Amino acid sequence: MSNGLQEVTEYSFSKKSDERFKELEKKFPEKNSLVLWALHLVQEDIGYVPEVAMEYVAQKTGVSKSWVSGVVTFYSMYNKKPVGKYHLQVCHNVSCWLNGSDKLEEAIKRKLNIEHGETTNDGKFTFSHVECLASCGTSPVVQVNNDYHEKMTPEKLEELIDELKQK
Amino acid sequence: MADLEKRILLQDVGKPNSHSIDVYEESGGYTALKKILIEDNKKWTPGAIIEEVKASNLRGRGGAGFPTGLKWSFIPKDSPKPKYLICNADEGEPGTFKDRVLLEDTPHGFIEGMIIAGIALDSKQGYIYIRGEFYKPWERVEQAIKEAYEKGYLGDNIFGTQHSFHLATYRGAGAYICGEETALIESIEGKRGHPRLKPPFPAVEGLYKCPTVVNNVETYAAVPHIINNGAKWYSSLSVGSEKSGGTKLFSISGHVNNPGVFEVPLGLPMIDIIEKVCGGIKNGNKLKAVIPGGSSTPILTAEEASKAIMDYEGMAAVGTFLGSGAVIVLDETTDMVELAYRVAYFYEHESCGQCTPCREGTKWVKDIMKRFKDGIGQENDLDTLCDFSQYMANGATVCPFGDAVMMAVVPIVQKFRSEFEARIDNSEDVQHKVSAAG
Ligand SMILES: Cc1cc2nc3c(=O)[nH]c(=O)nc-3n(C[C@H](O)[C@H](O)[C@H](O)COP(=O)(O)O)c2cc1C
Ligand code: SF4
Ligand code: FES
């Protein structure tokens, strides 16, 4: 891929995900309930959901592959293609907009030279704008992977990006 | 000013380790459960619990405000099928961030509420559906569930009685529509979040085709307090209307000095909440408008807001809804065209796509708003938009999302029409510009 991200061509759960899956199986009377869970585990393992993983999840949960791909395309958190190591998600809904989220989007575009939905060439950063993250009282907010960064300013965001570049 | 606040659900928030079971127990946590199962178990039959919740006038805090006790009474008592309890922690309505506080900072409150509901409704299994973006809150809830199992509040034969109740989490994956209860149920079944046609209602045929109750996090969190202090006490916490019982968490954001989550009695004037609880408008600016209950509720002008009372009846009196209690305060600098565009963009993005009027209509509404934002609005756009609402609202769709779109966008246009008119382009080549803009 042009942005240096590798496509995954073979997949099965990591040991950790396999254990989690077995735990989860005990909690739901119907196996199809595990489709969303299994997809979360796939993303924890490899960051996105490739075709092979959809087949794997279908087989693990006893549903069809088209069921799984329907789920993957429906939910915005499942990445259909590889994303950068750090996924910068800027909320652009009403309260964040009122508190200056446009400036955060501009800062990312300026600093990393990527638009919404794009990844930097080194595969390090992906930028997306997202809908309300339920952090409106401490807006504007940027979610980076699992973490919320609240009351963000363009300056703090640039510092954070610099920090992540070093990692 | 803190004196309008009445912290009951939020009693522990702000204390160190407020999320731990120790802190919760120190402030009386799990005593309601003990009362029901041991100390006062003769009095607290399942029927008595439901009656108490009914008498408390607790109404669902997820947005629709349906009376909780009444909802519980719809669960069939003689069904041989298992019964399921679901906690709706999808919190996606723009402007709402109060459930996150409960999940992250005081999770045992609603967990105790769920166990009590489980006993009242003869359910042995509950699920907490948490929006996927809430990773830290989800971890906190997982930890809290673990603690409750260790203490024997969850599991088989709680306190040695014949009652069992199990709890597990489910993580969403980024779809606003999964906050709608039947879409949420589909999602727990591992499917796309397409709302179901009702009837059958979840109380009869919900999760795995079994009787199911779905309540919001805040709704469950009120239950232990109602059991501990009585329905009368809870109901009379509110000022004014008897029918809106208790306190309510408000998520307040936008142009106020002191945004945040505040617990106040239902029935206070909106203006007191903005001025006294949230420290007034930022930079000494003037109030322009308020979105009172999350982005799906009709906007109020400053004048309407100055008369508004914050309970279910008070909001209806000014033509809007209390919704999830998400108050977005807008000052005089707010560009209402941009606001309407942001709102319309959200609904287009989040339509689940199964009904044509909603799927096509949301795109169409967004496109019109985009034209105004770009300064190339058309003379007849505004009237067409307002007329069009009848095709998307009033039961034309499977779920109330279609109505929500229109309730959100049309009043902004109607109440601030001159700002939209100022963005109409009457030039001759406007058609060209419109097609160029796509
Ligand atoms: C489009 C849509 C989105 C909704 N989102 C939520 C939500 O995020 N959280 C919630 O508790 N209820 C939400 N609801 C309301 C639920 O369908 C349901 O009424 C509620 O969870 C019931 O709980 P309650 O009676 O305790 O309020 C939504 C409804 C609709 C139509
Ligand atoms: S009204 Fe919209 S969101 Fe609701 S079911 Fe129909 S298409 Fe889906
Ligand atoms: S609007 Fe951005 S978190 Fe709610």
mmCIF file of all heavy atoms in Angstrom, chain A residues 74, chain B residues 176-177 180 183 193-196 347 350-360 362 392 396-403 405, ligand 2:
data_model
loop_
_atom_site.group_PDB
_atom_site.id
_atom_site.type_symbol
_atom_site.label_atom_id
_atom_site.label_comp_id
_atom_site.label_asym_id
_atom_site.label_seq_id
_atom_site.Cartn_x
_atom_site.Cartn_y
_atom_site.Cartn_z
ATOM 1 N N PHE A 74 -21.375 -1.685 8.676
ATOM 2 C CA PHE A 74 -22.387 -0.873 9.371
ATOM 3 C C PHE A 74 -21.784 -0.009 10.477
ATOM 4 O O PHE A 74 -22.164 1.149 10.655
ATOM 5 C CB PHE A 74 -23.466 -1.786 9.961
ATOM 6 C CG PHE A 74 -24.600 -1.031 10.610
ATOM 7 C CD1 PHE A 74 -25.626 -0.508 9.835
ATOM 8 C CD2 PHE A 74 -24.638 -0.828 11.984
ATOM 9 C CE1 PHE A 74 -26.675 0.195 10.417
ATOM 10 C CE2 PHE A 74 -25.677 -0.129 12.576
ATOM 11 C CZ PHE A 74 -26.698 0.379 11.790
ATOM 12 N N TYR B 176 -24.755 5.567 16.286
ATOM 13 C CA TYR B 176 -25.694 6.299 17.138
ATOM 14 C C TYR B 176 -27.022 5.565 17.243
ATOM 15 O O TYR B 176 -27.636 5.513 18.309
ATOM 16 C CB TYR B 176 -25.900 7.705 16.559
ATOM 17 C CG TYR B 176 -27.093 8.449 17.095
ATOM 18 C CD1 TYR B 176 -27.086 8.971 18.384
ATOM 19 C CD2 TYR B 176 -28.222 8.657 16.308
ATOM 20 C CE1 TYR B 176 -28.182 9.665 18.870
ATOM 21 C CE2 TYR B 176 -29.319 9.353 16.786
ATOM 22 C CZ TYR B 176 -29.302 9.855 18.069
ATOM 23 O OH TYR B 176 -30.390 10.545 18.544
ATOM 24 N N ILE B 177 -27.482 4.986 16.130
ATOM 25 C CA ILE B 177 -28.815 4.398 16.111
ATOM 26 C C ILE B 177 -28.942 3.251 17.116
ATOM 27 O O ILE B 177 -30.032 2.923 17.560
ATOM 28 C CB ILE B 177 -29.207 3.954 14.680
ATOM 29 C CG1 ILE B 177 -30.707 3.692 14.566
ATOM 30 C CG2 ILE B 177 -28.404 2.750 14.219
ATOM 31 C CD1 ILE B 177 -31.590 4.861 14.893
ATOM 32 N N GLU B 180 -31.196 3.448 20.138
ATOM 33 C CA GLU B 180 -32.619 3.124 20.043
ATOM 34 C C GLU B 180 -32.770 1.685 20.503
ATOM 35 O O GLU B 180 -32.031 0.802 20.057
ATOM 36 C CB GLU B 180 -33.105 3.334 18.597
ATOM 37 C CG GLU B 180 -34.602 3.338 18.428
ATOM 38 C CD GLU B 180 -35.253 1.958 18.428
ATOM 39 O OE1 GLU B 180 -34.579 0.985 18.032
ATOM 40 O OE2 GLU B 180 -36.409 1.824 18.837
ATOM 41 N N ALA B 183 -32.793 -1.356 18.066
ATOM 42 C CA ALA B 183 -31.523 -1.450 17.331
ATOM 43 C C ALA B 183 -30.451 -1.997 18.261
ATOM 44 O O ALA B 183 -29.607 -2.815 17.871
ATOM 45 C CB ALA B 183 -31.115 -0.087 16.795
ATOM 46 N N GLY B 193 -27.291 -2.611 13.404
ATOM 47 C CA GLY B 193 -28.258 -1.976 14.303
ATOM 48 C C GLY B 193 -29.451 -1.400 13.570
ATOM 49 O O GLY B 193 -29.628 -0.193 13.499
ATOM 50 N N HIS B 194 -30.287 -2.252 13.033
ATOM 51 C CA HIS B 194 -31.510 -1.792 12.390
ATOM 52 C C HIS B 194 -32.672 -1.860 13.367
ATOM 53 O O HIS B 194 -33.014 -2.949 13.833
ATOM 54 C CB HIS B 194 -31.846 -2.668 11.169
ATOM 55 C CG HIS B 194 -30.995 -2.379 9.973
ATOM 56 N ND1 HIS B 194 -31.022 -3.133 8.832
ATOM 57 C CD2 HIS B 194 -30.081 -1.410 9.752
ATOM 58 C CE1 HIS B 194 -30.172 -2.630 7.949
ATOM 59 N NE2 HIS B 194 -29.578 -1.595 8.492
ATOM 60 N N PRO B 195 -33.312 -0.734 13.667
ATOM 61 C CA PRO B 195 -34.467 -0.777 14.568
ATOM 62 C C PRO B 195 -35.540 -1.732 14.046
ATOM 63 O O PRO B 195 -35.691 -1.914 12.839
ATOM 64 C CB PRO B 195 -34.973 0.667 14.546
ATOM 65 C CG PRO B 195 -33.770 1.482 14.253
ATOM 66 C CD PRO B 195 -32.960 0.653 13.304
ATOM 67 N N ARG B 196 -36.253 -2.335 14.982
ATOM 68 C CA ARG B 196 -37.322 -3.264 14.621
ATOM 69 C C ARG B 196 -38.651 -2.517 14.581
ATOM 70 O O ARG B 196 -38.835 -1.539 15.303
ATOM 71 C CB ARG B 196 -37.441 -4.369 15.673
ATOM 72 C CG ARG B 196 -36.245 -5.275 15.759
ATOM 73 C CD ARG B 196 -36.442 -6.282 16.900
ATOM 74 N NE ARG B 196 -35.289 -7.170 17.014
ATOM 75 C CZ ARG B 196 -35.113 -8.019 18.017
ATOM 76 N NH1 ARG B 196 -36.016 -8.092 19.010
ATOM 77 N NH2 ARG B 196 -34.045 -8.789 18.067
ATOM 78 N N TYR B 347 -27.164 13.709 11.317
ATOM 79 C CA TYR B 347 -28.262 12.773 11.053
ATOM 80 C C TYR B 347 -28.050 12.021 9.751
ATOM 81 O O TYR B 347 -28.374 10.840 9.648
ATOM 82 C CB TYR B 347 -29.617 13.506 11.094
ATOM 83 C CG TYR B 347 -29.964 13.848 12.517
ATOM 84 C CD1 TYR B 347 -29.769 15.117 13.019
ATOM 85 C CD2 TYR B 347 -30.396 12.852 13.388
ATOM 86 C CE1 TYR B 347 -30.018 15.413 14.346
ATOM 87 C CE2 TYR B 347 -30.649 13.131 14.717
ATOM 88 C CZ TYR B 347 -30.460 14.414 15.199
ATOM 89 O OH TYR B 347 -30.691 14.682 16.508
ATOM 90 N N GLU B 350 -25.719 9.227 10.476
ATOM 91 C CA GLU B 350 -26.143 8.188 11.404
ATOM 92 C C GLU B 350 -27.426 7.450 11.020
ATOM 93 O O GLU B 350 -27.810 6.498 11.708
ATOM 94 C CB GLU B 350 -26.306 8.780 12.814
ATOM 95 C CG GLU B 350 -25.008 9.369 13.391
ATOM 96 C CD GLU B 350 -23.912 8.323 13.606
ATOM 97 O OE1 GLU B 350 -24.227 7.126 13.696
ATOM 98 O OE2 GLU B 350 -22.728 8.722 13.662
ATOM 99 N N SER B 351 -28.102 7.859 9.962
ATOM 100 C CA SER B 351 -29.298 7.113 9.544
ATOM 101 C C SER B 351 -28.903 5.668 9.272
ATOM 102 O O SER B 351 -27.900 5.419 8.604
ATOM 103 C CB SER B 351 -29.888 7.723 8.270
ATOM 104 O OG SER B 351 -30.825 6.815 7.701
ATOM 105 N N CYS B 352 -29.708 4.723 9.778
ATOM 106 C CA CYS B 352 -29.317 3.322 9.583
ATOM 107 C C CYS B 352 -29.592 2.868 8.165
ATOM 108 O O CYS B 352 -29.103 1.850 7.721
ATOM 109 C CB CYS B 352 -30.005 2.413 10.589
ATOM 110 S SG CYS B 352 -31.626 1.830 10.075
ATOM 111 N N GLY B 353 -30.413 3.631 7.452
ATOM 112 C CA GLY B 353 -30.589 3.383 6.025
ATOM 113 C C GLY B 353 -31.690 2.422 5.638
ATOM 114 O O GLY B 353 -31.902 2.186 4.455
ATOM 115 N N GLN B 354 -32.434 1.889 6.606
ATOM 116 C CA GLN B 354 -33.420 0.889 6.180
ATOM 117 C C GLN B 354 -34.739 1.479 5.660
ATOM 118 O O GLN B 354 -35.431 0.816 4.899
ATOM 119 C CB GLN B 354 -33.634 -0.197 7.238
ATOM 120 C CG GLN B 354 -34.518 0.164 8.403
ATOM 121 C CD GLN B 354 -34.761 -1.011 9.355
ATOM 122 O OE1 GLN B 354 -34.946 -2.142 8.922
ATOM 123 N NE2 GLN B 354 -34.759 -0.726 10.637
ATOM 124 N N CYS B 355 -35.092 2.721 6.045
ATOM 125 C CA CYS B 355 -36.316 3.319 5.477
ATOM 126 C C CYS B 355 -35.917 4.375 4.443
ATOM 127 O O CYS B 355 -35.105 5.249 4.728
ATOM 128 C CB CYS B 355 -37.170 4.020 6.526
ATOM 129 S SG CYS B 355 -37.185 3.262 8.145
ATOM 130 N N THR B 356 -36.570 4.318 3.291
ATOM 131 C CA THR B 356 -36.223 5.250 2.221
ATOM 132 C C THR B 356 -36.396 6.724 2.621
ATOM 133 O O THR B 356 -35.501 7.524 2.372
ATOM 134 C CB THR B 356 -37.040 4.922 0.959
ATOM 135 O OG1 THR B 356 -36.912 3.518 0.735
ATOM 136 C CG2 THR B 356 -36.526 5.676 -0.251
ATOM 137 N N PRO B 357 -37.529 7.114 3.253
ATOM 138 C CA PRO B 357 -37.667 8.547 3.573
ATOM 139 C C PRO B 357 -36.532 9.064 4.457
ATOM 140 O O PRO B 357 -36.081 10.191 4.290
ATOM 141 C CB PRO B 357 -38.997 8.627 4.334
ATOM 142 C CG PRO B 357 -39.708 7.360 4.069
ATOM 143 C CD PRO B 357 -38.694 6.332 3.710
ATOM 144 N N CYS B 358 -36.067 8.234 5.354
ATOM 145 C CA CYS B 358 -35.007 8.660 6.271
ATOM 146 C C CYS B 358 -33.654 8.648 5.567
ATOM 147 O O CYS B 358 -32.905 9.619 5.611
ATOM 148 C CB CYS B 358 -34.998 7.769 7.511
ATOM 149 S SG CYS B 358 -33.636 8.074 8.639
ATOM 150 N N ARG B 359 -33.378 7.576 4.852
ATOM 151 C CA ARG B 359 -32.072 7.461 4.177
ATOM 152 C C ARG B 359 -31.897 8.580 3.158
ATOM 153 O O ARG B 359 -30.892 9.278 3.146
ATOM 154 C CB ARG B 359 -31.966 6.096 3.501
ATOM 155 C CG ARG B 359 -30.617 5.828 2.856
ATOM 156 C CD ARG B 359 -30.625 4.486 2.132
ATOM 157 N NE ARG B 359 -31.604 4.443 1.071
ATOM 158 C CZ ARG B 359 -32.640 3.594 1.013
ATOM 159 N NH1 ARG B 359 -32.822 2.698 1.959
ATOM 160 N NH2 ARG B 359 -33.492 3.635 0.009
ATOM 161 N N GLU B 360 -32.921 8.776 2.316
ATOM 162 C CA GLU B 360 -32.826 9.797 1.273
ATOM 163 C C GLU B 360 -33.036 11.187 1.856
ATOM 164 O O GLU B 360 -32.357 12.132 1.488
ATOM 165 C CB GLU B 360 -33.870 9.532 0.177
ATOM 166 C CG GLU B 360 -33.730 8.170 -0.491
ATOM 167 C CD GLU B 360 -32.389 7.983 -1.163
ATOM 168 O OE1 GLU B 360 -31.918 8.935 -1.812
ATOM 169 O OE2 GLU B 360 -31.799 6.894 -1.024
ATOM 170 N N THR B 362 -32.490 12.435 4.884
ATOM 171 C CA THR B 362 -31.404 13.033 5.665
ATOM 172 C C THR B 362 -30.323 13.588 4.729
ATOM 173 O O THR B 362 -29.747 14.637 4.989
ATOM 174 C CB THR B 362 -30.762 12.006 6.621
ATOM 175 O OG1 THR B 362 -30.498 10.802 5.913
ATOM 176 C CG2 THR B 362 -31.668 11.702 7.799
ATOM 177 N N MET B 392 -41.071 12.645 6.414
ATOM 178 C CA MET B 392 -40.058 11.934 7.195
ATOM 179 C C MET B 392 -40.498 11.685 8.620
ATOM 180 O O MET B 392 -39.981 10.822 9.296
ATOM 181 C CB MET B 392 -38.782 12.761 7.240
ATOM 182 C CG MET B 392 -37.768 12.285 6.246
ATOM 183 S SD MET B 392 -36.393 13.381 6.312
ATOM 184 C CE MET B 392 -35.459 12.623 7.620
ATOM 185 N N ALA B 396 -43.813 7.902 9.490
ATOM 186 C CA ALA B 396 -43.497 7.432 8.140
ATOM 187 C C ALA B 396 -42.317 6.457 8.136
ATOM 188 O O ALA B 396 -41.997 5.892 7.106
ATOM 189 C CB ALA B 396 -43.189 8.617 7.230
ATOM 190 N N THR B 397 -41.686 6.273 9.276
ATOM 191 C CA THR B 397 -40.476 5.467 9.319
ATOM 192 C C THR B 397 -40.555 4.425 10.440
ATOM 193 O O THR B 397 -41.432 4.503 11.299
ATOM 194 C CB THR B 397 -39.253 6.375 9.585
ATOM 195 O OG1 THR B 397 -39.517 7.151 10.753
ATOM 196 C CG2 THR B 397 -38.982 7.287 8.408
ATOM 197 N N VAL B 398 -39.623 3.475 10.416
ATOM 198 C CA VAL B 398 -39.633 2.399 11.414
ATOM 199 C C VAL B 398 -39.381 2.934 12.824
ATOM 200 O O VAL B 398 -39.986 2.482 13.786
ATOM 201 C CB VAL B 398 -38.575 1.327 11.055
ATOM 202 C CG1 VAL B 398 -38.402 0.328 12.193
ATOM 203 C CG2 VAL B 398 -38.971 0.594 9.773
ATOM 204 N N CYS B 399 -38.490 3.907 12.947
ATOM 205 C CA CYS B 399 -38.163 4.383 14.296
ATOM 206 C C CYS B 399 -38.266 5.901 14.360
ATOM 207 O O CYS B 399 -38.394 6.565 13.328
ATOM 208 C CB CYS B 399 -36.775 3.889 14.709
ATOM 209 S SG CYS B 399 -35.431 4.998 14.283
ATOM 210 N N PRO B 400 -38.214 6.492 15.546
ATOM 211 C CA PRO B 400 -38.414 7.945 15.675
ATOM 212 C C PRO B 400 -37.247 8.798 15.163
ATOM 213 O O PRO B 400 -37.298 10.010 15.259
ATOM 214 C CB PRO B 400 -38.580 8.153 17.193
ATOM 215 C CG PRO B 400 -38.673 6.819 17.805
ATOM 216 C CD PRO B 400 -38.078 5.842 16.849
ATOM 217 N N PHE B 401 -36.229 8.170 14.622
ATOM 218 C CA PHE B 401 -35.087 8.926 14.106
ATOM 219 C C PHE B 401 -35.530 9.914 13.027
ATOM 220 O O PHE B 401 -35.066 11.052 12.976
ATOM 221 C CB PHE B 401 -34.059 7.943 13.533
ATOM 222 C CG PHE B 401 -32.775 8.552 13.059
ATOM 223 C CD1 PHE B 401 -31.661 8.602 13.880
ATOM 224 C CD2 PHE B 401 -32.647 9.036 11.759
ATOM 225 C CE1 PHE B 401 -30.458 9.141 13.426
ATOM 226 C CE2 PHE B 401 -31.460 9.572 11.296
ATOM 227 C CZ PHE B 401 -30.360 9.630 12.128
ATOM 228 N N GLY B 402 -36.448 9.458 12.175
ATOM 229 C CA GLY B 402 -36.955 10.333 11.109
ATOM 230 C C GLY B 402 -37.573 11.598 11.683
ATOM 231 O O GLY B 402 -37.320 12.708 11.195
ATOM 232 N N ASP B 403 -38.370 11.454 12.736
ATOM 233 C CA ASP B 403 -38.956 12.630 13.399
ATOM 234 C C ASP B 403 -37.862 13.494 14.013
ATOM 235 O O ASP B 403 -37.926 14.718 13.964
ATOM 236 C CB ASP B 403 -39.896 12.200 14.537
ATOM 237 C CG ASP B 403 -40.979 11.260 14.073
ATOM 238 O OD1 ASP B 403 -40.657 10.086 13.764
ATOM 239 O OD2 ASP B 403 -42.134 11.691 14.016
ATOM 240 N N VAL B 405 -34.832 14.050 13.122
ATOM 241 C CA VAL B 405 -34.122 14.884 12.152
ATOM 242 C C VAL B 405 -34.896 16.186 11.945
ATOM 243 O O VAL B 405 -34.335 17.287 11.977
ATOM 244 C CB VAL B 405 -34.017 14.158 10.792
ATOM 245 C CG1 VAL B 405 -33.310 15.034 9.775
ATOM 246 C CG2 VAL B 405 -33.324 12.829 10.951
HETATM 247 S S1 SF4 C 2 -36.102 6.051 10.628
HETATM 248 FE FE1 SF4 C 2 -33.978 6.126 9.863
HETATM 249 S S2 SF4 C 2 -32.761 5.385 11.571
HETATM 250 FE FE2 SF4 C 2 -34.897 4.755 12.006
HETATM 251 S S3 SF4 C 2 -35.079 2.713 11.146
HETATM 252 FE FE3 SF4 C 2 -35.679 4.112 9.530
HETATM 253 S S4 SF4 C 2 -33.772 4.497 8.362
HETATM 254 FE FE4 SF4 C 2 -33.192 3.597 10.308
#
